[in-house]
C-alpha cells in the first residue's frame, strides 16, 4: 500500500510541473520574437474573424501598433491570418445550454483564440515558418550581394 501511495504521489508531483514561459520583455529581435509575432497575427485575426467588427480594431489601432517586429514577408502574414480565421471557422457551437435570449449567438471566441495562441500546434507551425523566413532572408542577401548596377 505504501508503494502505491509513493508511486501515485511521485506521479502527481512530476506530472504537475509548472508551465514554463520566458521572462517578459518589450523588445526582442530573435527567433522567439518572430515566433510570438507570427502567433500574435494569428491571434488578432482570430479575434477579427470572431467578432466581425472592424470598429473595435479601428479604435484599438488609434493607440496600438499591435506587433513590434517589422521583418515579416507578406505571405507569412497571410499564413498567420489564415490560421487565425480557421480557428473561428471550425469552432463548434457552445457546449453549454444557451437557451436564454441574452446568451443566444454567443460563443467562446476570446478563449478559443487565446488557447490557440498558447497551443503547441501554433508553436510548431510558427517555428517551421521561421525556418522558411531564414531561408528567404538568405536568398535575399545573396541576391543583393550579387546584384550589379
Amino acid at each position: 500500500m505504501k508503494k502505491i501511495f509513493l508511486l501515485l504521489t511521485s506521479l502527481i508531483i512530476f506530472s504537475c510541473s509548472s508551465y514554463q514561459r520566458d521572462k517578459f520583455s518589450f523588445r526582442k529581435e530573435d527567433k522567439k520574437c518572430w515566433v510570438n509575432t507570427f502567433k500574435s497575427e494569428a491571434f488578432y485575426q482570430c479575434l477579427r474573424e470572431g467578432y466581425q467588427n472592424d470598429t473595435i480594431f479601428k479604435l484599438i489601432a488609434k493607440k496600438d501598433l499591435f506587433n513590434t517586429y517589422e521583418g515579416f514577408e507578406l505571405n507569412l502574414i497571410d499564413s498567420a491570418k489564415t490560421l487565425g480565421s480557421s480557428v473561428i471557422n471550425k469552432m463548434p457551437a457552445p457546449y453549454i445550454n444557451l437557451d436564454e435570449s441574452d446568451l443566444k449567438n454567443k460563443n467562446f471566441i476570446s478563449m478559443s483564440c487565446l488557447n490557440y495562441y498558447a497551443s503547441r500546434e501554433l508553436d510548431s507551425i510558427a517555428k517551421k515558418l521561421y525556418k522558411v523566413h531564414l531561408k528567404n532572408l538568405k536568398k535575399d542577401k545573396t541576391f543583393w550581394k550579387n546584384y550589379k548596377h
Side-chain angles (χ1 to χ4, degrees):
M1 189 69 169
K2 286 182 181 182
K3 287 182 181 181
I4 294 172
F5 178 74
L6 288 173
L7 180 63
L8 287 175
T9 305
S10 61
L11 281 173
I12 291 170
I13 290 171
F14 289 113
S15 66
C16 294
S17 62
S18 64
Y19 179 62
Q20 298 290 320
R21 295 290 290 176
D22 294 328
K23 198 171 190 178
F24 175 77
S25 172
F26 281 103
R27 285 197 175 227
K28 288 182 183 177
E29 298 299 326
D30 58 5
K31 178 181 178 180
K32 289 179 185 175
C33 177
W34 194 98
V35 166
N36 283 333
T37 300
F38 181 87
K39 291 171 53 176
S40 296
E41 284 295 329
F43 175 73
Y44 294 136
Q45 184 61 30
C46 184
L47 291 176
R48 281 186 192 100
E49 189 77 23
Y51 295 124
Q52 295 186 354
N53 185 341
D54 286 339
T55 307
I56 294 169
F57 285 94
K58 286 177 184 175
L59 287 171
I60 294 170
K62 287 182 178 183
K63 297 259 183 185
D64 194 337
L65 293 171
F66 292 103
N67 277 322
T68 59
Y69 191 80
E70 298 170 0
F72 259 69
E73 296 93 23
L74 292 176
N75 63 327
L76 295 177
I77 291 174
D78 289 342
S79 296
K81 288 181 176 183
T82 299
L83 290 168
S85 293
S86 72
V87 170
I88 296 301
N89 295 332
K90 293 177 183 177
M91 188 170 49
Y95 51 85
I96 59 174
N97 186 5
L98 298 177
D99 288 336
E100 296 178 33
S101 62
D102 62 329
L103 297 178
K104 286 188 179 188
N105 300 321
K106 289 187 177 187
N107 208 332
F108 299 103
I109 296 168
S110 59
M111 184 194 76
S112 297
C113 295
L114 189 58
N115 286 342
Y116 186 63
Y117 174 87
S119 71
R120 279 189 238 152
E121 178 185 354
L122 188 57
D123 280 342
S124 176
I125 293 167
K127 288 173 183 175
K128 286 178 186 173
L129 288 175
Y130 180 71
K131 291 177 182 178
V132 171
H133 166 71
L134 291 178
K135 287 178 184 176
N136 290 343
L137 279 180
K138 189 174 182 179
K139 286 179 188 176
D140 287 348
K141 286 179 182 178
T142 304
F143 172 79
W144 289 111
K145 188 177 185 182
N146 297 327
Y147 180 76
K148 296 181 182 177
H149 297 282

